[in-house]
Amino acid sequence: MAAHLKKRVYEEFSKVVQVPPEDTPSKKVRLSKPSKSASLHLDLCKASTPTDALQLLLHFSHRPVEADSVEGVVRILLEHYYKESDNSVRLKISSLIGLLSKTRGFRPDCIVDDVISTLTNEKSHQVLAQLLDSLLLIGSHLPKSPAVRGTLVDVAWKHLSDTYFGVRVKCLQLLGCLGVVDAPLNKDDAPSSSSSSSSGLRDIQSIISDYFGDQDPRVRTAALKAMLQLHERGIRVHQIIYEQACRLLSDDYEQVRSAAVQMVWVLSQLYPESIVPIPSSSEEIRLVDDAFGKISHMVSDGSWMVRVQAAKTLGSMLQVSPHFLEQTLDKKLMSDLRRKRTAHERAKELFVSGEFSSGRKWADDAPKEKLDTNTVNLIASGACGAFVHGLEDEMFEVRIAAVEALCHLAKSSPNFAEKCLDFLVDMFNDEIEEVRLRSIHVLRQISTHITLREDQLDTVLAVLEDSSRDIREALHELLCFTNVSTKECIQLALLELLKNLNKYPSDRSSVWKCLKFLGSRHPTLVLPLVPELLSTHPYFDTPEPDMDDPAYMAVLVLVFNAAQSCPTMASLFSDHTYRHYAYLRDSLSHLVPPLRLPGRKQVCGLDSVDSGSGSGSVESAQVFLQQSLDRVSTIQNLETPGAQDLLDFTIRDLERLGELQPELAGSADFCATYLRCQLLLIKALQDKLWNTAVPLCLKQNVTATAAAHQILEQSYKLEFLYGGLESSQVAVIHHVRLQAKALLLLLGCRYGNGLDHLISSCDKFLQEVDTFQRCFVSETSVLQDSFVDRLVQLKPRVSSSKPSELVKIVQRTLRQSGPLQLRLPDQVQRARADIIEPTGQSENPLRFTSGLVVALDIDATLENIQDPQDTIKVQVLYPDGQSHVIHPKPADFRNPGPGRHRLITQVFLSHTAWTEPSQIEVRLLLAYSTSSSCGDGLPPAEGAVEGTLPLSKPVKVFIMPKPARR
């Protein structure tokens, strides 16, 4: 009973109260890394000897340090710096401080005062120089802190009087890197030095120029380089420094002379028309002429490096007087460069000396025409024939520099170009191939100013015997743009080119191209040679030459191109010449022009259409191109059949426009390829396909899948085969690619490849949409009301929906969105390649033993391709389906001009034995990667695509692997 009452009491007075949970703030976990400064402090404290400390510092210098930890690490280093007595350890600490100041994201202005304070009690000159070098690094990373820069300049000036050359060198570097003109320095703040002036305020240039006469050559070099650095920073150097710089041209050390040459050149460009006096004379001369003479004298310097620099510098002095320029080609002093006395001065001297010699003065009746070196005061005698000395120098680097300098000066002076022609032609016989090749290129650049004589042409044509293919092709290009004086020169050039063609058959295309330009430039000189060249006779019929002879075809190319500007030449042709013209006009239309032959219908072609084209036709074609794009923008208002027909007609028009107007070929092909993608997309999104069950339209599904893959391939062509695209056009290309991937997602869902595959495909597609939005966030105006824009608006719904609902949303959005308006590109250049060799026309197979290799020579021209060494590959496709891709060596690429490259390489073929000859296909490929297509500063997208695009038409070559003999 008692137990029962006790239980009743407990039940009556006990109750359960449920307390709601309090909203306690959640604790955040922060992942902290061990402090670099603390670990460094512990390591340095454990070091018992300077060697151990130095070893620890060396290991620490190779570790990365975060920007947040740099200041603490520098404090620890400075603390140990004050405790350390060994110079090598303090030197390494000073070096580490400069290295840490370059850490990305760190502002070094917080450690400037601490580093400056270490200079006060430092006794070691090497450590002091290293501390100043660290301050130089700190100052170069704080360009917008005038207070810090002013402090560092004051520090540099205070230590300029140090006895150690390294300290003075670093101080001068600080002044050159950080000094400004409008901030004069107070002399009272710096220790007195023998080189300082008596004034209280000093200009930065006067301080640096005081050390032009330092006893150490390294300090003199640093002073000159500091002054040059002031010039590079936009500070105008004072003209008063010119005399000091000229004196340093005769310094004993080549580094000083090299820097002095640069300083003299800078002053000659700043003050070209200033008048300077000539030493030991009352004459005056322009500063640029005086500087030209002094730098010309340095072409005969004892150091070949100074000679190279002097020769290069002469090429950029375009304001020099013509008579000074011409003196560099003659070792004898010209009469107009010596001082002339007036008639009054000569009469006065004759009157004072009397009519007859008195005999009291030795040699007073000596001939007055004898040249005395003291009278040569307008140009130094060593400067006479400066380019002759440079072209005859023992070092080929000096000869190349002299040739390039002649090129720059000759391009600005036609008279000088004619005078230096003989010297450049003589360089064709140099023993170094690089010098010969450079001389040919230089003569090509100045060919508009010169006309070759017969003796000069003979020397030039002798180079065709050279074994180097680069030399011969460079000479062919030179002859394309060179003028000759007589018909004998044309005959001589043709004879030597035919010898070259016979000796080196691989030069066929280059020789034909050379004769094309040679004939078109000299029609009047070719006219009297036509009967002899074509072997015609006024009374007798001559045998018809063989059209398979490359030499005869070369002669025809020369004659037909000359006949284009000489209508009377066609009357000298025989009947078979007319037939040969029709054949060559069809087979070699790029070498044979359209001609108006008497009594015959003109052979029409694209060139005949282009013959009347000018700037007006190009403008009208550009207007037509823009109108075509505007017309296509209205396809959203058309039914599907009408839209397809409009796109078909527009693509056809753009392709034809690219053929008729080479100037707009890149833009027209780019627009046609983009419209082809839109046409494929419209065909793939037809109602019949998406409103019918999958088993009833299997064929249409396969067609749509092929169209999606073709759109992807075309989008890669649009992005990587065309250059000069703007960001808006790249965004449109990526938008088309994303539509093709959405189409593949929908088709994959219709085939029912499984739920896991569907989920992974949807996740991958959403990632690509995010990547696209991140890459082209600045192109919202171009992407307005597009497929991606609508997906982004539905992003909250898309992210939370199931894969099946996501597919429905993507399908509806893709079918409702129209094509983006493509803005006409300003200047689009299409990458292209043409394989010259092999031609693919030979029916004689390359025979080799199976299991061994045979070399196939590849010669191709490349246009508008960036970094061909990394992107160009050669593909060989065998009849059994095997494909080999070869990456040519970097040395196989030549660069004949801007935007053009030449590939000359060998491909090694090998295969098992065949029963009969068969063809292989050789083509060039362009490798691409989408990892960098989002632009700089953004991480690459996951799953970056790498592949190749066909760049040239395939060339078929017969080969025959023979079985090995037992």
Side-chain angles (χ1 to χ4, degrees), residues 123 127 220 394 468 490 519 653 673 872:
K123 303 300 181 183
V127 178
R220 298 196 294 272
E394 59 181 350
S468 172
I490 295 291
D653 293 342
T673 307
I872 296 300

Side-chain angles (χ1 to χ4, degrees), residues 154 156-163 168 186-200 202 207 210-211:
D154 292 337
W157 191 26
K158 290 176 183 179
H159 291 84
L160 267 175
S161 59
D162 196 278
T163 57
R168 301 200 298 277
N186 190 354
K187 190 189 174 196
D188 298 335
D189 296 339
S192 59
S193 61
S194 58
S195 60
S196 299
S197 65
S198 59
S199 61
R202 297 293 309 281
I207 295 172
D210 286 342
Y211 288 85

Side-chain angles (χ1 to χ4, degrees), residues 242 246 276 285-295 324 378:
Y242 176 73
C246 290
V276 295
I285 193 175
R286 295 167 66 227
L287 190 146
V288 65
D289 293 336
D290 186 59
F292 185 81
K294 287 180 168 57
I295 296 177
F324 280 89
L378 294 189

Side-chain angles (χ1 to χ4, degrees), residues 874-886:
V874 182
Q875 182 189 43
V876 179
L877 186 62
Y878 291 92
D880 57 356
Q882 294 186 29
S883 176
H884 293 173
V885 177
I886 300 97

Side-chain angles (χ1 to χ4, degrees), residues 132-278:
L132 289 169
D133 185 68
S134 299
L135 287 175
L136 177 62
L137 292 174
I138 292 173
S140 61
H141 284 77
L142 294 172
K144 297 182 180 180
S145 300
V148 177
R149 295 166 67 94
T151 304
L152 295 179
V153 169
D154 292 337
V155 170
W157 191 26
K158 290 176 183 179
H159 291 84
L160 267 175
S161 59
D162 196 278
T163 57
Y164 181 57
F165 79 92
V167 176
R168 301 200 298 277
V169 167
K170 295 300 177 183
C171 289
L172 289 169
Q173 290 179 0
L174 264 171
L175 293 177
C177 181
L178 305 176
V180 291
V181 177
D182 55 354
L185 299 176
N186 190 354
K187 190 189 174 196
D188 298 335
D189 296 339
S192 59
S193 61
S194 58
S195 60
S196 299
S197 65
S198 59
S199 61
L201 296 177
R202 297 293 309 281
D203 182 73
I204 194 72
Q205 295 191 27
S206 62
I207 295 172
I208 295 176
S209 61
D210 286 342
Y211 288 85
F212 285 177
D214 194 273
Q215 60 181 356
D216 195 290
R218 290 163 289 194
V219 179
R220 298 196 294 272
T221 305
L224 286 167
K225 290 184 177 179
M227 195 69 73
L228 290 171
Q229 194 169 10
L230 289 178
H231 169 70
E232 292 174 359
R233 290 171 48 209
I235 299 175
R236 191 175 181 86
V237 182
H238 297 160
Q239 184 183 348
I240 195 173
I241 301 172
Y242 176 73
E243 185 178 352
Q244 295 173 286
C246 290
R247 286 199 297 267
L248 291 177
L249 290 174
S250 57
D251 197 275
D252 294 336
Y253 294 87
E254 64 176 89
Q255 294 88 352
V256 181
R257 298 196 300 272
S258 177
V261 169
Q262 297 182 44
M263 192 73 248
V264 170
W265 175 81
V266 166
L267 291 168
S268 70
Q269 302 303 305
L270 291 176
Y271 309 98
E273 301 299 330
S274 298
I275 304 299
V276 295
I278 298 174

Side-chain angles (χ1 to χ4, degrees), residues 23-54:
D23 294 335
T24 56
S26 60
K27 296 182 179 180
K28 296 182 179 179
V29 179
R30 184 180 66 179
L31 298 177
S32 61
K33 298 181 180 179
S35 174
K36 294 276 186 180
S37 57
S39 62
L40 178 63
H41 178 66
L42 292 175
D43 292 340
L44 290 176
C45 291
K46 292 178 183 178
S48 57
T49 62
T51 305
D52 296 339
L54 187 61

Side-chain angles (χ1 to χ4, degrees), residues 773-824:
Q773 186 182 7
R774 187 177 70 252
C775 291
F776 302 104
V777 65
S778 61
E779 303 296 337
T780 54
S781 60
V782 179
L783 302 174
Q784 188 175 4
D785 200 26
S786 64
F787 168 66
V788 175
D789 188 30
R790 297 185 180 185
L791 277 183
V792 172
Q793 293 176 3
L794 299 173
K795 191 173 183 181
R797 180 183 172 189
V798 169
S799 302
S800 60
S801 61
K802 296 180 181 180
S804 57
E805 296 178 359
L806 172 63
V807 170
K808 292 180 180 178
I809 294 173
V810 171
Q811 177 178 344
R812 184 172 59 254
T813 308
L814 182 61
R815 297 188 63 189
Q816 290 178 354
S817 59
L820 286 179
Q821 175 69 23
L822 180 66
R823 193 171 62 85
L824 181 63

Side-chain angles (χ1 to χ4, degrees), residues 627-691:
Q627 291 175 350
S628 300
L629 295 179
D630 295 339
R631 186 169 58 250
V632 169
S633 63
T634 62
I635 62 174
Q636 296 180 356
N637 305 325
L638 300 176
E639 298 292 336
T640 301
Q644 293 183 12
D645 292 341
L646 178 60
L647 286 175
D648 279 329
F649 293 146
T650 307
I651 292 172
R652 183 195 62 187
D653 293 342
L654 292 179
E655 290 176 348
R656 182 59 177 168
L657 179 65
E659 296 175 357
L660 296 178
Q661 290 292 343
E663 297 86 353
L664 298 177
S667 300
D669 292 344
F670 177 81
C671 297
T673 307
Y674 173 74
L675 295 181
R676 196 174 293 112
C677 294
Q678 296 296 336
L679 179 60
L680 291 171
L681 191 62
I682 291 177
K683 290 181 179 179
L685 294 175
Q686 290 179 358
D687 294 337
K688 181 180 179 180
L689 173 64
W690 302 98
N691 296 332

